[in-house]
Amino acid sequence: AGVIEKITKIAASDPDKLTKAAAIEFLAKLKSDKYKNLFQQFANDSSYSVSGAALSGLMALDPGNAYNLAKRYAGDAKGKLGDAVTEILYGAGNESDFDLLYKMYQELPLSEAKIINTMKFGGYLAKLKDGSKVKMGADAIMSFRNQIPEQYLMYLDNAFKQTFTNIATQQIKLGNTEVAEYIRKLMP
């Protein structure tokens, strides 16, 4: 048997969850419909590592299904599953997902993970048409920025400025010039 076949067998039946997850992650990178059923099967696994890898693989092959599963798992997803859920919802999310994504963002502690999620949350906000939601999300980003100790801001402010610039630019394209101006005024 070839290497891919061996990896497929590991993904399907290895008892070690981390090994299984690594095999699924490998197969996900192939983006082949041949593995869609495998990803679907393991998207519901009890291991966050396995289900997260499977959900990520499913996103490349069946985005609508992956989006629906991500919404279903959003409440208690942790680890790799939490990462996959967040990635999918920020990327494919729409206006109706705002309350969920806003809550998820607000609940993140002051951490490197929140810094990374800030850029993704900003990307999500940029595509929204509802100006009040965009402003509320931008205010949350600014509130987080203001919690960061001053000695670290010189390293991070550029990322915040890029995030706000992206939101403002996209809002102008959507015709929300008032929202774009509001966003531009947030950064010092």
Side-chain angles (χ1 to χ4, degrees), residues 2-161:
V3 173
I4 302 294
E5 288 80 18
K6 287 180 182 178
I7 292 172
T8 304
K9 186 176 180 189
I10 291 168
S13 60
D14 199 281
D16 182 79
K17 296 292 189 176
L18 293 178
T19 303
K20 182 184 289 243
I24 292 171
E25 285 174 7
F26 178 86
L27 295 174
K29 290 177 184 170
L30 300 177
K31 297 181 181 174
S32 171
D33 279 330
K34 180 166 133 175
Y35 306 111
K36 184 177 172 182
N37 290 337
L38 182 86
F39 299 148
Q40 182 69 43
Q41 174 188 350
F42 289 110
N44 296 308
D45 195 87
S46 62
S47 163
Y48 288 140
S49 295
V50 172
S51 57
L55 189 59
S56 293
L58 200 54
M59 184 60 188
L61 302 175
D62 189 356
N65 188 18
Y67 170 76
N68 289 333
L69 288 170
K71 282 188 75 154
R72 190 168 85 199
Y73 300 147
D76 66 348
K78 294 174 181 52
K80 295 232 183 215
L81 178 59
D83 294 344
V85 164
T86 303
E87 194 73 32
I88 290 167
L89 292 179
Y90 281 149
N94 56 48
E95 303 272 343
S96 69
D97 298 314
F98 178 79
D99 291 338
L100 172 66
L101 290 173
Y102 179 81
K103 181 178 183 255
M104 288 170 62
Y105 180 76
Q106 288 288 77
E107 289 176 351
L108 286 169
L110 183 64
S111 63
E112 183 179 349
K114 188 155 186 172
I115 293 168
I116 293 166
N117 273 274
T118 295
M119 311 316 141
K120 294 175 185 178
F121 185 54
Y124 164 75
L125 293 174
K127 62 186 180 179
L128 299 183
K129 293 180 178 131
D130 183 334
S132 63
K133 289 178 180 175
V134 176
K135 287 178 180 180
M136 189 172 162
D139 287 342
I141 291 173
M142 196 61 189
S143 174
F144 166 58
R145 181 220 173 255
N146 291 338
Q147 293 174 29
I148 297 172
E150 181 111 13
Q151 66 265 32
Y152 299 110
L153 284 177
M154 64 185 224
Y155 303 109
L156 299 172
D157 257 354
N158 203 30
F160 283 97
K161 287 177 185 172

Side-chain angles (χ1 to χ4, degrees), residues 169-185:
T169 301
Q170 293 301 327
Q171 288 301 303
I172 288 171
K173 289 179 183 176
L174 292 171
N176 291 337
T177 52
E178 182 265 327
V179 174
E181 280 307 307
Y182 179 85
I183 301 296
R184 285 193 177 128
K185 290 178 183 174

